[in-house]
Amino acid sequence: QKEVEQDPGPLSVPEGAIVSLNCTYSNSAFQYFMWYRQYSRKGPELLMYTYSSGNKEDGRFTAQVDKSSKYISLFIRDSQPSDSATYLCAMTRGSNYKLTFGKGTLLTVNP
Amino acid sequence: EAGVVQSPRYKIIEKKQPVAFWCNPISGHNTLYWYLQNLGQGPELLIRYENEEAVDDSQLPKDRFSAERLKGVDSTLKIQPAELGDSAVYLCASSLGRGTSTGRETQYFGPGTRLLVL
């Protein structure tokens, strides 16, 4: 079993839909949780960063972390065609440790 | 502020040839990472530097891969000789590094070098 599991999709939604992306993990030592967005042929771009459990909102994006269930989510409200990309969850124990990524979920938002 | 810079962006070589990738991290970032990303997968760490010291190279295939960060800033990743299975995207990332404030572990990625070995 991989440390981080993420459904690769693909996920296709109409413009304006609410999108839910999820990851599960097995290592209880993970403390920092991130979501990266990766457009085709580009490097991953940090989207959301969360420390420990809780919610964080930034515009149309909300990140949730439930450490008791080892489950993290990213919600995108009012999705736009420009949101079409691969979304990677990532997590780490801290600044002295590597990031462990999920496989990424390919999202397409159709106009 | 400039982001992480990588070159070249694309490289096509024949198997058994050597290849090198270059990375310039964000100014002031002490920690530098090289990741390998295969198609349809998330990035996987190859090596992590704290300044000029390689502190985690456990995933680096040392028989053919080498890396250096001589002055604790720029870094070079080399493959010699390249194999067909090395075709992938090689990503460089950087972060502030050790410290007590949250956010120092946040990693910022460059655009990557897309390698094709024929």
Side-chain angles (χ1 to χ4, degrees):
Chain A
Q1 182 190 7
K2 286 203 156 194
E3 275 190 296
V4 179
E5 299 281 358
Q6 183 176 10
D7 185 343
L11 183 61
S12 182
V13 301
E15 183 175 354
I18 296 174
V19 176
S20 172
L21 304 167
N22 312 293
C23 288
T24 59
Y25 63 95
S26 57
N27 189 343
S28 57
F30 289 140
Q31 297 278 359
Y32 301 88
F33 304 90
M34 298 151 206
W35 286 95
Y36 284 83
R37 177 174 61 194
Q38 187 172 26
Y39 291 113
S40 180
R41 300 184 181 274
K42 302 287 186 182
E45 168 196 12
L46 182 66
L47 200 57
M48 298 288 284
Y49 161 91
T50 310
Y51 170 65
S52 196
S53 284
N55 293 357
K56 186 172 184 178
E57 187 172 320
D58 184 1
R60 296 184 295 110
F61 299 90
T62 300
Q64 288 185 350
V65 175
D66 181 350
K67 291 188 69 180
S68 63
S69 302
K70 296 190 179 66
Y71 188 87
I72 70 171
S73 301
L74 177 70
F75 297 96
I76 307 174
R77 290 183 298 280
D78 187 24
S79 55
Q80 303 295 309
S82 58
D83 295 328
S84 298
T86 296
Y87 289 80
L88 295 153
C89 65
M91 47 201 78
T92 181
R93 297 169 65 178
S95 59
N96 298 338
Y97 299 92
K98 66 177 183 180
L99 274 179
T100 300
F101 284 85
K103 279 189 173 183
T105 300
L106 178 61
L107 171 67
T108 301
V109 181
N110 301 299
Chain B
E1 179 182 310
V4 177
V5 180
Q6 289 188 249
S7 70
R9 292 294 312 278
Y10 303 92
K11 191 74 176 178
I12 301 174
I13 60 171
E14 293 187 348
K15 64 180 181 182
K16 300 185 181 180
Q17 294 300 304
V19 64
F21 315 123
W22 176 82
C23 173
N24 181 248
I26 293 173
S27 178
H29 281 196
N30 297 322
T31 307
L32 183 145
Y33 313 77
W34 283 102
Y35 285 87
L36 166 70
Q37 186 175 25
N38 286 305
L39 189 64
Q41 303 293 318
E44 296 182 2
L45 182 71
L46 288 172
I47 189 168
R48 175 168 67 94
Y49 282 93
E50 293 284 345
N51 298 303
E52 63 274 9
E53 182 184 0
V55 295
D56 183 359
D57 63 355
S58 57
Q59 302 302 311
L60 190 72
K62 298 181 184 62
D63 56 337
R64 297 185 301 107
F65 286 66
S66 64
E68 60 183 15
R69 193 185 185 199
L70 293 175
K71 296 183 180 179
V73 181
D74 296 1
S75 178
T76 303
L77 178 69
K78 298 178 182 177
I79 309 175
Q80 183 171 11
E83 296 179 352
L84 296 176
D86 296 331
S87 296
V89 177
Y90 292 82
L91 293 163
C92 180
S94 70
S95 66
L96 282 169
R98 292 176 182 262
T100 55
S101 57
T102 56
R104 298 187 69 87
E105 64 290 318
T106 303
Q107 297 181 26
Y108 298 90
F109 285 80
T113 296
R114 188 172 297 269
L115 173 67
L116 180 60
V117 182
L118 302 175

